[in-house]
Amino acid sequence: LVGFVGRLSPEKNPLAVAHLAAALQKRMPTRRIRPVWIGTGLVQVVPGLQTEAKAIAGDSCVWVPPPAHIGDA
């Protein structure tokens, strides 16, 4: 499991998770590496992020919205 938690914005480089997952998968082909993103801003701020991440890391990508009980303080 390789993850990103936070606001999904270009300056935070959320695609780094996809690149890391792909690199780890090459180094450990018998293991299943799963990249996970938890956060807001996916469609609004970074259009095409899901498509680009899947092109890099494959179909094992998981996208999770943030829990409603955590605020934007």
Side-chain angles (χ1 to χ4, degrees):
L1 182 67
V2 178
F4 179 100
V5 178
R7 184 175 43 90
L8 298 164
S9 62
E11 65 270 9
K12 294 187 177 194
N13 194 14
L15 281 178
V17 173
H19 289 287
L20 178 59
L24 288 171
Q25 192 65 66
K26 285 181 184 177
R27 290 186 71 180
M28 299 181 290
T30 60
R31 302 282 185 160
R32 183 174 180 198
I33 307 299
R34 181 166 286 241
V36 177
W37 290 263
I38 301 171
T40 61
L42 180 60
V43 176
Q44 304 87 345
V45 180
V46 189
L49 177 62
Q50 286 182 320
T51 303
E52 203 170 340
K54 284 184 179 183
I56 296 166
D59 289 330
S60 64
C61 298
V62 176
W63 307 92
V64 181
H69 66 277
I70 297 177
D72 287 334

